[in-house]
Amino acid sequence: MAEGQTRRRGKDLLDAIYAAAVEEAAAAGPGRLTMDAIAKRAATARTTLYRRWSDPTDLLLDALADLHPVEQPDPGADDLRGDLIASLRLMCDWAFSPAGRAVMAIVADPARDPAAVEALFERVFAKRGGTFTQTVLRHYAEHGHFDPARLTPVVLDIGEALVTKRMMDTGADPGDAYLSAVVDQAILPAVGLPPRTG
């Protein structure tokens, strides 16, 4: 250890390892992820990683689960439109982060490992509550703002699907005006509510 450096432990070390894993996966691709590369980027020993994880994919999945954001409406929330827009903004910000780029690298890889994709959905998306707008929609349906029967699989996915397509088509953040349009023109009508623009 170089003079002046302090040994990191606990959460500081774990945060550095998780950041290194997603940055390396985003840069090199999940298929070329190695414990050596993660350890080097995290400035820690490879043996430190092997004490907790058996392979780099296992480590990456833990990192992605830890870094995956979930929209959490306040218990007294009463702005469905605003919370839906905020959840899509959270999704866009995450999508262009190292963690979001690592997830896209896993699911978009033509030679992807089906087991890794299945593990991604089980350990990251399902564990952290599914999609961004789904969390908001379920909260408001449970609090009587609209009929929960309207929350079909299509309705739960429509916001993310439209925004993901836009990002794939343009390679850029869709912008807040587009996110508002998705909420006003697709999500709110799908749950039987008019857009509230005032």
Side-chain angles (χ1 to χ4, degrees), residues 31-111:
R32 291 182 291 281
L33 194 63
T34 67
M35 290 297 222
D36 282 337
I38 296 169
K40 182 177 180 181
R41 193 180 280 263
T44 193
R46 185 178 58 173
T47 53
T48 301
L49 307 185
Y50 278 112
R51 286 190 198 108
R52 183 162 181 166
W53 299 280
S54 59
D55 60 65
T57 300
D58 186 42
L59 193 169
L60 176 62
L61 289 168
D62 273 0
L64 292 173
D66 184 74
L67 296 168
H68 191 71
V70 175
E71 178 72 8
Q72 295 288 355
D74 184 273
D78 64 357
D79 181 10
L80 172 59
R81 180 179 184 270
D83 282 342
L84 285 169
I85 294 169
S87 72
L88 291 175
R89 168 49 49 211
L90 186 66
M91 174 193 167
C92 292
D93 292 345
W94 167 81
F96 288 96
S97 73
R101 294 199 313 273
V103 166
M104 289 306 299
I106 292 172
V107 299
D109 183 358

Side-chain angles (χ1 to χ4, degrees), residues 5 7 11 18 20-21 27-28 47 49 53 59 62 69 95 98-99 115-116 135 138 144 150-151 175 186:
Q5 283 189 324
R7 186 180 297 277
K11 188 174 186 311
Y18 282 167
T47 53
L49 307 185
W53 299 280
L59 193 169
D62 273 0
T135 306
R138 290 194 187 284
R150 287 188 171 267
L151 296 183

